[in-house]
Amino acid sequence: MDVQFPIYSPEHEIYDPLFEEKNLRVFIKRDDMIHPFISGNKWRKLKLHIEQAKSQGINQLVTFGGAWSNHILATAAAGAQFQLKTYAFIRGEEVSNPVLSMCKLFGMQLHFVDRESYRNKEALFQQAFPAQEAWFIDEGGRSDLGIEGCVSIYEELKNTYQHIILAAGTGTTAAGLLKAIQSQSNDTQLHVVPVLKLGDSLANDFKTWGLASKNLYLHADYHFGGYAKTKPELLAFIQSFVSKTGIMIEPVYTGKMMYGLYDLIKKDQFKPGSHILAIHTGGLTGFLGMYEQFGALPGI
């Protein structure tokens, strides 16, 4: 069975008086429009895993994540679409929420594990599936296959950009873009906004993947306290951006990335006349776990 489906991820220009003041043109690649649930970089990181599993006659995907994981939901939806069973180890105590309910709706089996056991994902997988009857996908889709799948983001671009910026968790998507940029031997600068503390450590991961630091800029000061952490200024920025552009972003990934982009522009980090592309990596269901925080904002 073919695991292709049409990719719709246009490049939209967005406008702001700040961009005009700094003589910059800013665009956003809408990977969030690829699929309602297998959106953004999730499909790109899963595609080659699904192809490999099906080619080897394996009919079950096994993966890992937290209770609000977009990757878990995307895996569940992809499994349903391509007739594969799905199973997920969920970090932490058993809970119920809208994301996990959707996963179950797509037919995914969920198994909650304590945080200590969760650290050894390979052991969990081998204990539950000793006969190699399932396909292992690491948390967030982190893998060489995931990196290769994300190369396609760059290959699809319709225009030329001096700068590309995106959020990073595992760094898989950023690694795919960096690999594509360096293979073309061009001068495009890749700006990565880690959403976890100690995001500078991603530089070592890129080295492990055989990628040079050329073309790479890590901006590790926009995590707002760590993964899924926020501050009032981030929430206010997201509300302003969404209301002015009609483009939905959320506090875990894309909100931090866009906040970082605006801040870098204010600080004159980009040469006038530059064209900048922001990658919308989807993950909009992340808003569901944090919507109450927006209730305290004026006008909401």
Side-chain angles (χ1 to χ4, degrees), residues 30 71 89 120 167 209 276:
R30 299 293 304 276
H71 165 72
F89 290 96
N120 195 336
W209 284 321
I276 304 167

Side-chain angles (χ1 to χ4, degrees), residues 9-233:
S9 176
E11 297 157 45
H12 291 165
E13 186 166 9
I14 54 178
Y15 302 92
D16 190 282
L18 175 66
F19 307 157
E20 186 175 355
E21 175 192 339
K22 301 295 186 179
N23 188 23
L24 299 169
R25 293 184 69 184
V26 177
F27 300 77
I28 185 166
K29 182 166 173 59
R30 299 293 304 276
D31 260 20
D32 58 307
M33 301 178 76
I34 289 175
H35 187 279
F37 304 107
I38 324 169
S39 73
N41 54 356
K42 287 71 183 170
W43 166 245
R44 299 183 188 278
K45 291 191 285 186
L46 285 170
K47 179 179 180 292
L48 295 180
H49 281 285
I50 294 171
E51 286 184 350
Q52 289 288 319
K54 293 182 80 68
S55 70
Q56 296 180 33
I58 296 173
N59 69 352
Q60 181 156 253
L61 307 177
V62 178
T63 194
F64 306 79
W68 291 95
S69 168
N70 294 295
H71 165 72
I72 294 290
L73 178 57
T75 303
Q81 179 153 342
F82 297 107
Q83 287 76 63
L84 292 166
K85 297 177 184 178
T86 54
Y87 187 103
F89 290 96
I90 307 299
R91 180 182 62 250
E93 65 279 359
E94 185 168 354
V95 296
S96 178
N97 65 41
V99 170
L100 296 179
S101 293
M102 285 189 283
C103 290
K104 291 178 181 178
L105 192 63
F106 282 121
M108 174 176 268
Q109 289 185 275
L110 305 177
H111 182 70
F112 294 84
V113 296
D114 64 83
R115 295 176 184 273
E116 184 62 33
S117 300
Y118 185 86
R119 292 171 192 249
N120 195 336
K121 299 177 185 66
E122 288 280 359
L124 288 172
F125 176 75
Q126 292 171 6
Q127 289 168 11
F129 302 94
Q132 297 184 341
E133 57 192 22
W135 187 268
F136 177 96
I137 304 176
D138 207 344
E139 182 172 7
R142 179 186 173 98
S143 63
D144 290 341
L145 289 177
I147 292 172
E148 198 61 41
C150 290
V151 167
S152 62
I153 298 174
Y154 189 80
E155 295 173 341
E156 290 172 12
L157 297 183
K158 307 298 183 186
N159 301 300
T160 300
Y161 303 96
Q162 286 75 47
H163 304 274
I164 299 175
I165 187 167
L166 78 161
T170 66
T172 304
T173 305
L177 277 163
L178 187 61
K179 181 177 181 179
I181 290 168
Q182 293 183 349
S183 70
Q184 297 290 325
S185 299
N186 63 37
D187 295 324
T188 300
Q189 297 179 9
L190 182 68
H191 299 265
V192 179
V193 177
V195 301
L196 295 83
K197 284 184 178 180
L198 305 177
D200 284 329
S201 64
L202 280 177
N204 294 326
D205 293 332
F206 292 133
K207 290 179 182 179
T208 299
W209 284 321
L211 298 167
S213 59
K214 182 176 181 286
N215 308 91
L216 175 66
Y217 297 83
L218 285 173
H219 303 283
D221 296 328
Y222 300 109
H223 56 74
F224 289 90
Y227 184 74
K229 302 295 185 181
T230 68
K231 292 184 179 180
E233 57 265 38

Side-chain angles (χ1 to χ4, degrees), residues 18 222 258-270:
L18 175 66
Y222 300 109
M258 292 305 301
Y259 183 101
L261 172 59
Y262 274 67
D263 192 54
L264 291 169
I265 290 174
K266 291 174 184 176
K267 293 176 178 176
D268 297 314
Q269 295 299 300
F270 304 104

Side-chain angles (χ1 to χ4, degrees), residues 236-282:
F237 168 82
I238 291 171
Q239 192 277 327
S240 176
F241 178 86
V242 174
S243 66
K244 290 177 180 178
T245 65
I247 300 172
M248 187 73 171
I249 56 176
E250 45 66 51
V252 182
Y253 290 98
T254 50
K256 293 179 179 180
M257 179 266 294
M258 292 305 301
Y259 183 101
L261 172 59
Y262 274 67
D263 192 54
L264 291 169
I265 290 174
K266 291 174 184 176
K267 293 176 178 176
D268 297 314
Q269 295 299 300
F270 304 104
K271 183 179 178 181
S274 296
H275 289 194
I276 304 167
L277 178 68
I279 306 294
H280 195 314
T281 48

